Amino acid sequence: MKSKKVAIIGASGYSGEVLVQLLLNHPHAELVAVTSRQNAGQTLAQVFPKFASHPKSKSLRFSDPKAELLSKQADVVFLALPHGVAAEYAVPLLNAGCVVIDLSADFRLKSPEIYKDFYAHDHPAPDLLKRAVYGLPEIYRDEIKKSLLIASPGCYPTSILLPVIPLLKAGLVKPAGIIADSLSGVSGAGRKAEVDYLFCECNESVRPYGVPKHRHLSEIEEQLSFAAGAKVTIQFTPHLIPVNRGILTTLYLAPEKPTDAEKISACYKKAYDGEPFVRLLEGKALPDTKNVVGTNVCEIAWRLDPRTGRLIVMSAEDNLVKGASGQAVQSMNILCGWPETAGLV
Amino acid sequence: MKSKKVAIIGASGYSGEVLVQLLLNHPHAELVAVTSRQNAGQTLAQVFPKFASHPKSKSLRFSDPKAELLSKQADVVFLALPHGVAAEYAVPLLNAGCVVIDLSADFRLKSPEIYKDFYAHDHPAPDLLKRAVYGLPEIYRDEIKKSLLIASPGCYPTSILLPVIPLLKAGLVKPAGIIADSLSGVSGAGRKAEVDYLFCECNESVRPYGVPKHRHLSEIEEQLSFAAGAKVTIQFTPHLIPVNRGILTTLYLAPEKPTDAEKISACYKKAYDGEPFVRLLEGKALPDTKNVVGTNVCEIAWRLDPRTGRLIVMSAEDNLVKGASGQAVQSMNILCGWPETAGLV
Amino acid sequence: MKSKKVAIIGASGYSGEVLVQLLLNHPHAELVAVTSRQNAGQTLAQVFPKFASHPKSKSLRFSDPKAELLSKQADVVFLALPHGVAAEYAVPLLNAGCVVIDLSADFRLKSPEIYKDFYAHDHPAPDLLKRAVYGLPEIYRDEIKKSLLIASPGCYPTSILLPVIPLLKAGLVKPAGIIADSLSGVSGAGRKAEVDYLFCECNESVRPYGVPKHRHLSEIEEQLSFAAGAKVTIQFTPHLIPVNRGILTTLYLAPEKPTDAEKISACYKKAYDGEPFVRLLEGKALPDTKNVVGTNVCEIAWRLDPRTGRLIVMSAEDNLVKGASGQAVQSMNILCGWPETAGLV
Amino acid sequence: MKSKKVAIIGASGYSGEVLVQLLLNHPHAELVAVTSRQNAGQTLAQVFPKFASHPKSKSLRFSDPKAELLSKQADVVFLALPHGVAAEYAVPLLNAGCVVIDLSADFRLKSPEIYKDFYAHDHPAPDLLKRAVYGLPEIYRDEIKKSLLIASPGCYPTSILLPVIPLLKAGLVKPAGIIADSLSGVSGAGRKAEVDYLFCECNESVRPYGVPKHRHLSEIEEQLSFAAGAKVTIQFTPHLIPVNRGILTTLYLAPEKPTDAEKISACYKKAYDGEPFVRLLEGKALPDTKNVVGTNVCEIAWRLDPRTGRLIVMSAEDNLVKGASGQAVQSMNILCGWPETAGLV
């Protein structure tokens, strides 16, 4: 299988670090460049002691991010940058013929209007929104194969879309009134020097935030609307919990018929039975982040409540793997024609 | 102020331990007896090294729980026993003239039928259900003053009832479709030697459990039904999170009018402005368990979501204090005519 | 008992926060001013939501720290400032007749030379070093009574000095070759926005730091030298562990005679039996930070190892209470003639 | 490369679980049997939901441990059993021609007398002690190649022996007076339903235990004595800290000459420069468990203290990988003639 050269722009944050780990050990991708303004000049081993045993860790040095140079070094470029910055790099890289896999929110929406509503400024490259494919492989596998610009989904959106899209597509739940209550580990906030994310501020603490209008709502609702064939507005409450990694989402849905247990079961089996990274739990098992952390797997379980007529769906994923870097690698594998599970567990 | 002698039956669990702490330092109550089958014969200092600096810790010894003896020693007896066991002790203690404050679920329901539905056996002392007062002081203060049997509320129920009852009583939210999504620290599971609650099974883990029919639903729904004047059925999903203490509940409610912000604000102020142990958060503040752990305070904040028309109410409490032992002491203070905040912060 | 007015300069850090908590609830001290450059203008309730239920939390506002003004408002001023800054405030406050209790390292040493060796610059107010009393009440109680300037000990030093000083004074251990291996919770690093102390950098991590010459060595060795009557140089290795609060120190000492168990026992009993805040553990008990966190207690246990002839002494304390703010309040109580345990548990 | 069939006896504990993970993903070993009395009959997926995505997880079922049967199924058998039980299985397996890799302490000592001193009973199979090789590959690689019975080292011993043995062999440190102060994550206590290891008993807690005579001392001292060519007695203090995995050991050693920095550096480089699983830290870096957890790497750093003349050596490892299952797989790789790093990171 033909290998490719890959680069990571913005490799010093938490999702950048996981990308480095996955790409250092990938059977077909060769990591040739990592960038970071603040760590420029340092080796991988210096910035991430945990990779110091890897043979490349002492030769590979962080550089300043320069699109022109990177486009000559790499076939595939991952952008692990803050929202708003990614677009600056995507344009020249695409023009130079690179595949771009963006982990930021910059290209996740189709609608520039929704972008403006949630991000409070015009989209910097609205033309690219049409070219970008939303990198959720279980839903857009065929489109990913043919795209050169992948907008890899957010962590919360992944934990919500995977459980809900099949039900909406099958018409088994009502598009109105969906509630997503999510719990995220602290790495979701990024490696930022802010008092709010200090150990003593997060440990022995649980708190909601961004209530009621979190930015991730824009991509969640756009994707759910596509699935439902109608505009979907949901309730979404994120909470910060004292774990490093992991998202647990509990969804409250209204089934079209509260007695449709068999149809729901069949719908999920049809959607995910062959999927390597979606695990439908059976029997009494319920999702637990500790069973997915470090893997690219999203666990899903559901219960129909005969007392309320509601459908409760629960999902668990690693926010930095299936919710970010693992999923981005999964898209790369598809796009490059490699086995979808290459370099992933 | 006249002091009283108090005893704790079942003082070796987590809520028993907090009760010991509160009563050792109470200005009017004198802790005269603590019982525990497994620790009988040992001093307080031996079982709980953290209390070893208290003068009583070396003289006060755990004894076997014997109602007859305790009724002679104490005026007020707290029962911190597993559900189903408390009733056995309550009857002889009440007959002997003691005040009984029960932290178990045994006397929290008014309806023996609901008890049987959730606990799968007949109630052992249905007559006492009528005599018991549900020990939620903010709602039943007057009844607590006159009662000799207090059924102190559960931890999850307290975090749900305090935010919802005023809204239901004022007719500001619809009684149908209420959802309570709760996150609890591990002490809620008790000091039991079970693999599921080992450090390594809970740390770096988040998981739902007891979905969809948790036993606490029975008392939550009965109390909400009283407030609404109609039968209320809710959705309740508890989750286990890796903190020692604390419950965070996020409630999803349907306001009668989505524009009633001022009425909701006024309703909460009227209900709780003078309350020492309910803190209405203002401005951008949202509840955080770290701000209430170790105190008897329940924090409440709310947001009306103009996008969905829903009312989101969030509460935080210490499951072992306001959710258990602190609230029980608060009831004792009321019942004994002491300042309601005596011995509590 | 006559009450006093107290102020805290630098009240927004972790030890400042604990000072606020202790002083808000102190029976004889009245907290009249709190300062913080970054929070100036905000109320206590806004900066610390956990104190919002205290009646003073909405009237007491953070101000800019101005010594002149504070000296008119307060009888006792606590300095919870970074090292090097405290001296600037101490001089005018002392001149204005205030009692100053300094939680920084600025006045802990007697020798300006040692100060320069460890802090790399001349001491800003060497004359005050003579006036200052090292605020370790169990050792300097009489001096504290008569002093106007208290240099409250550091967290690591307290955990080392309390177990070692009595043994050195009694000549039961050799002054040479002492090793102190200490484990500290993350609050010891202060409420600073630094990547190293983010939740994800500390959680699931254990690491030594500052090896082999930590600044706290200067005051530890000076105090041990006073006790031994000869220069003492020790080995000290601090480690960062993922708890909010607590220090556990394990000391390796060479007893003069490895068979002196009874003398060691008698020595500790003589030193600490009446002390409210030192707890000598008996039997098989060993120190555990969870038994002292939130209290002003230092736990001590020891073992003579017949295999090696060494004496192992272990201590546990809350770094923010006995290791900082609680101990400072204890000194205030002594100095003001109040019961030493007032406002402390 | 010829693959082998492997079995795990006692696969439901923490080190058993890591063994399962490593062997499921090993390129040359095929996991054919897992045993567990309490889980007999259940599939891997049922007992360990985290492995449920592996193709073998639904076909491989836990069985009762029967040596005769297993010896027919497997070429290599790992024993992840409590101390004392392993010997019962080792004898029949060896007789049937299996390779046995034992993770318990049963065969780690050469001296049956030392065994009796520390374990308080006669060794059940003293003849096997001679045949067993102590499975520390960096020290006994050649012996491992030729052995059929590997006694895989304990977690604490590995973290102490790797840093100390080269120094003792080179005569750079004195064999007398060695102190090892170790901090271990809670998984070291095993998956046992005991109150002491509940989340709430370990979280926000740090405590020493087993002071001063921990059983691991026997194998540590025997191995150090071999290296020194003389009897070595050390001081060892283990502490329990609230992380799932990881051991951090701080060693206090007396260098023969306190100015031997270059010799120490050269000694470590000679010993470990080509070793895939020992990482010598350079510059200011110090070991941190978070950089080794999940890997088979042991990090080592050292400092000579000019003030005390002592040598401080610090090591970090994952107690379940390099300290247990990873090291056992490393031995298997050597013994089977596979690349030593096969299936390990």
Side-chain angles (χ1 to χ4, degrees), chain A residues 181 221 235 252 307-308, chain B residues 181 221 235 252 290 307-308:
Chain A
D181 192 287
E221 293 182 348
Q235 193 76 53
Y252 300 94
R307 300 174 72 256
T308 63
Chain B
D181 191 287
E221 293 181 347
Q235 192 76 52
Y252 300 94
K290 73 167 173 278
R307 301 173 72 256
T308 62

Side-chain angles (χ1 to χ4, degrees), chain A residues 290, chain B residues 195-202, chain D residues 10-21 48 50-51 80 103 186-193 197 244-245 319-321 324-325:
Chain A
K290 74 168 174 278
Chain B
V195 165
D196 280 355
Y197 306 112
L198 289 179
F199 183 82
C200 296
E201 304 299 317
C202 297
Chain D
S12 61
Y14 290 126
S15 54
E17 180 180 347
V18 172
L19 261 182
V20 169
Q21 182 180 18
F48 296 123
K50 62 193 277 195
F51 300 142
L103 280 77
V186 186
S187 61
R191 190 179 257 134
K192 286 177 298 195
Y197 306 113
N244 283 355
R245 292 159 69 158
N319 57 307
L320 296 182
V321 186
S325 306

Side-chain angles (χ1 to χ4, degrees), chain B residues 243-263:
Chain B
V243 298
N244 283 355
R245 292 158 70 157
I247 283 182
L248 192 294
T249 289
T250 302
L251 291 148
Y252 300 94
L253 305 165
E256 285 293 342
K257 290 185 197 164
T259 52
D260 268 350
E262 282 181 31
K263 284 191 185 166

Side-chain angles (χ1 to χ4, degrees), chain A residues 7 66 76 125 142 166 172 187 287 308 322 339-340:
Chain A
K66 287 176 188 158
V76 178
D142 291 341
L172 291 170
S187 61
T308 63
K322 185 60 179 168
E340 191 165 330

Side-chain angles (χ1 to χ4, degrees), chain B residues 17-26 320-321 325-326 329 343-344:
Chain B
E17 180 179 346
V18 173
L19 260 182
V20 168
Q21 182 180 17
L22 294 171
L23 294 173
L24 278 179
N25 298 295
H26 196 283
L320 296 181
V321 187
S325 306
V329 168
L344 296 170

